[in-house]
Amino acid sequence: MGLFNFSRRRLVRNSAHVRNKPLGRTQATTLIEAAGAATASITMLARVSCRSAIDVVPAKLFGTVFDPRARLGFGLVTRRRTYSTISALKTGIVGLPNVGKSTLFNALVENSQAQAANFPFCTIEPNVGTVPVLDKRLDVLAGISGTKNIVPTTVEFVDIAGLVEGASEGQGLGNKFLANIRECDAIVHVVRCFDDDNIVHVNGTVDPRRDAAIINSELALSDISQIHKRLEKVKKTKDKSTSSGVSAEAEMDVLNKVLNELEDGKQVRQLGLSEDEEAVLKELNLLTAKPCIYAANLPEDDLSTRGDKNTHLQALSQFASETGAAICIVSAQVASELKDLTPAERADFLSCLGVSSDGLDTLIETAYAQLDLLTYFTTGEKETRAWTIRRGFTAPQAAGVIHTDFEKGFIKAETVHYDDFVRYGGFSGAKENGVWQLEGRDYVVEEGDIMVFKFNV
C-alpha cells in the first residue's frame, strides 16, 4: 500500500500579548483589515475572515497539523483551500501502561514522536498534538461564501505516560504525570478491551473494570491530598474571606462535603455540585471533576459488531455508567495502520473490516461534547472559520473569543442560523427571507450560528 504524506505546518506566534493588549486605533485598523472587513469610521463591522489565526487569538507553538478531511477519508479537495488551526481545548490521554494509549495518540496526530513500545513508561514527557474537529458544515459554508481558507476548531491531545497503582504516592513517576493531567480540560482514559499474549499487561491479566478503577483511585487520592492541603490553609484564615471569595467556614463546608464523597469512592463529577460549590473548588483543579471519556480499545475483529459480544467492553460500559463518564469505541491498532494510507486505500481497508470508521472521529467529537462546548461560525470570501465557546455564552462573550476588544466594544451581532444560511444561500438571501437577526448583548449564542460582530474600539 502506498504512503500518504500529509502536509505539515508549524504555526509560530509573533507576539505573546496580542490577545490581551488593548488596541489603539492604528492597531485596531490593522486587525480588522486582517480580519477581512473594516469601515473608515471607528465603528467597524467585523466579518472576522482572518488571514491567520495568529493575528487575532493567542496561540501556543502547535504540533503537527494536517488536513482533517484527508485523514478521515473524505476524498480530495476540489477547491484550492488552505487549512490552519487555532488554540484548542486540552484533553489528556491516560491509562495503564501497554493499553494502546500512545498508539492511539500517534494515530490521532499523525506523527511518531511518542514511541508506542511494548514496555511500561515508554512515554516519559507528555507529547502534544493538535487535532482538527471534523465539521462538514465548514465545507458547505465555504462553498456558499467562495472561501479559499478554512479554519476548523481543534482539540489538543496530550499523551501522558502510563499510570500505575501508587501513582498518587509517586510510583512510576506518578506525581509528575498527575500534574500533567491537572493541566488538561478533559480526560480520555484508554482501557484495554482485548486479549493478546504478545502484549504484556502490567497487572498480568486484562480486566477493564479493575484497570479503570485503579486509575480512578489514583486520581481520587490525589484530589484528597489536594483538599487536605487546602483545608489546612483555610483553617489559618479564621474569619476572613478566602481566595475563592467566600468565608472560610463556607469553603470548609464545601471541601469537607467533597472530601467525604471522595473517601466513599465517588468522583467529583458525579456529585451534582451547585455553581457556587464548583466556584469554590475551581482553583483546586480537581482531577475527578474533569469530564472523562473511556476509550475502549477493541481488537479489529470486534469493530464491525461494535463489540456486542466483547465481555470486556460490557464490563467497562457498566463501569462508565456508574462513574459518570462517557464511553467511546476505538481500535488503536486499526487507526495506526490507517494513518499511512491514501484515502482510497483507507476506504478499502475499512470496507474489508466491515466498518466505516476506526472510531477516532467519534472520540474527537465526544471529547468536544463532554466539555459542553458549541461551535459558531464566521464566513466570508477570505475565510470560513469555526469558533469554540462554552454553551451559554452571550454574543459579547463569543466575540471576545476572537479578541477581548471585540467583547469590550460590542454593539450588535448579525446572526443567521446555519440551516437558514444554507437554505437561502448566504446573508443576502437570509435578509430577504426574514431570518437574519440583529442581536444585542443579552443574546445567547446557539450551536451553528453564523455571526458578524459590530463593535467600537
Side-chain angles (χ1 to χ4, degrees):
M1 294 183 177
L3 295 178
F4 183 74
N5 296 318
F6 292 96
S7 174
R8 292 172 168 82
R9 178 182 300 170
R10 289 195 178 277
L11 302 180
V12 181
R13 185 166 176 263
N14 293 327
S15 171
H17 305 288
V18 173
R19 181 183 178 96
N20 294 317
K21 184 177 181 179
L23 299 179
R25 179 187 291 266
T26 302
Q27 292 170 305
T29 302
T30 300
L31 176 62
I32 301 305
E33 287 174 351
T39 64
S41 67
I42 201 69
T43 301
M44 290 165 282
L45 177 65
R47 288 188 182 272
V48 197
S49 297
C50 312
R51 288 194 297 267
S52 169
I54 59 178
D55 292 329
V56 178
V57 296
K60 300 177 181 178
L61 298 182
F62 293 114
T64 302
V65 179
F66 53 90
D67 185 329
R69 296 170 301 168
R71 180 181 73 80
L72 294 171
F74 278 79
L76 298 177
V77 182
T78 55
R79 299 177 60 85
R80 184 173 179 79
R81 298 171 183 154
T82 58
Y83 281 74
S84 50
T85 59
I86 59 175
S87 186
L89 66 95
K90 199 170 185 178
T91 302
I93 302 179
V94 305
L96 294 173
N98 297 344
V99 296
K101 183 173 54 61
S102 292
T103 302
L104 182 67
F105 173 82
N106 290 340
L108 277 165
V109 301
E110 302 293 324
N111 68 48
S112 58
Q113 294 178 6
Q115 301 176 34
N118 186 24
F119 59 90
F121 314 121
C122 62
T123 309
I124 301 302
E125 295 296 331
N127 290 267
V128 181
T130 301
V131 180
V133 177
L134 180 67
D135 195 328
K136 296 178 182 179
R137 293 175 296 181
L138 283 168
D139 282 317
V140 176
L141 293 175
I144 294 172
S145 301
T147 299
K148 296 180 180 179
N149 187 44
I150 295 176
V151 185
T153 190
T154 56
V155 176
E156 186 177 276
F157 284 96
V158 183
D159 181 20
I160 297 168
L163 298 172
V164 294
E165 193 168 2
S168 59
E169 299 174 353
Q171 294 295 318
L173 301 179
N175 289 331
K176 182 176 181 180
F177 302 154
L178 290 169
N180 291 330
I181 302 171
R182 205 172 295 283
E183 296 172 359
C184 296
D185 300 301
I187 298 171
V188 171
H189 184 170
V190 182
V191 183
R192 179 171 165 178
C193 292
F194 64 89
D195 295 302
D196 188 335
D197 293 337
N198 295 317
I199 300 178
V200 178
H201 191 289
V202 70
N203 290 321
T205 59
V206 177
D207 184 340
R209 189 180 185 94
R210 176 204 62 202
D211 295 347
I214 288 173
I215 300 295
N216 283 356
S217 295
E218 295 306 320
L219 300 183
L221 287 170
S222 179
D223 285 349
I224 289 171
S225 176
Q226 287 280 101
I227 292 176
H228 277 303
K229 291 176 183 177
R230 181 62 183 173
L231 280 169
E232 290 299 317
K233 187 174 181 179
V234 173
K235 287 177 182 177
K236 296 177 183 179
T237 64
K238 297 183 179 179
D239 296 329
K240 299 178 182 178
S241 294
T242 66
S243 58
S244 63
V246 299
S247 69
E249 182 180 0
E251 179 166 343
M252 288 179 66
D253 286 343
V254 175
L255 292 173
N256 282 314
K257 171 186 175 180
V258 174
L259 181 61
N260 290 335
E261 296 286 0
L262 284 169
E263 290 175 341
D264 284 341
K266 295 285 185 65
Q267 305 275 289
V268 175
R269 62 177 173 273
Q270 297 176 261
L271 304 184
L273 299 175
S274 67
E275 290 185 6
D276 290 341
E277 290 172 326
E278 289 178 348
V280 168
L281 298 173
K282 184 176 181 180
E283 65 181 66
L284 293 181
N285 209 4
L286 298 177
L287 300 176
T288 62
K290 298 180 184 296
C292 178
I293 306 151
Y294 289 114
N297 189 10
L298 301 184
E300 64 178 49
D301 294 340
D302 284 351
L303 278 182
S304 61
T305 62
R306 297 190 60 79
D308 61 353
K309 294 182 180 180
N310 187 312
T311 57
H312 295 320
L313 175 61
Q314 293 167 7
L316 183 61
S317 297
Q318 179 65 31
F319 188 76
S321 177
E322 294 171 4
T323 56
I327 189 166
C328 182
I329 294 172
V330 299
S331 175
Q333 190 57 46
V334 170
S336 179
E337 294 176 15
L338 286 175
K339 68 184 180 66
D340 292 326
L341 305 183
T342 66
E345 290 169 339
R346 187 180 298 113
D348 288 342
F349 188 93
L350 290 172
S351 178
C352 290
L353 294 177
V355 296
S356 59
S357 169
D358 54 16
L360 295 191
D361 50 346
T362 304
L363 175 61
I364 295 169
E365 292 168 5
T366 304
Y368 191 77
Q370 277 291 97
L371 286 164
D372 203 21
L373 304 174
L374 59 79
T375 301
Y376 78 88
F377 302 97
T378 54
T379 184
E381 185 176 343
K382 290 187 177 180
E383 182 179 273
T384 292
R385 175 179 295 200
W387 298 92
T388 299
I389 60 172
R390 299 284 180 184
R391 191 172 301 278
F393 265 27
T394 60
Q397 289 174 311
V401 172
I402 300 170
H403 194 284
T404 53
D405 279 9
F406 285 29
E407 180 176 3
K408 293 175 184 176
F410 178 87
I411 301 175
K412 294 287 183 181
E414 297 181 27
T415 304
V416 180
H417 192 268
Y418 171 82
D419 292 339
D420 293 328
F421 191 91
V422 173
R423 182 180 297 112
Y424 299 114
F427 287 109
S428 297
K431 287 183 179 181
E432 292 172 1
N433 287 275
V435 293
W436 172 92
Q437 302 291 331
L438 190 62
E439 304 287 359
R441 302 186 66 86
D442 295 331
Y443 176 71
V444 177
V445 179
E446 297 181 0
E447 171 65 40
D449 277 348
I450 319 296
M451 305 194 76
V452 178
F453 299 108
K454 281 188 174 183
F455 63 100
N456 282 321
V457 176

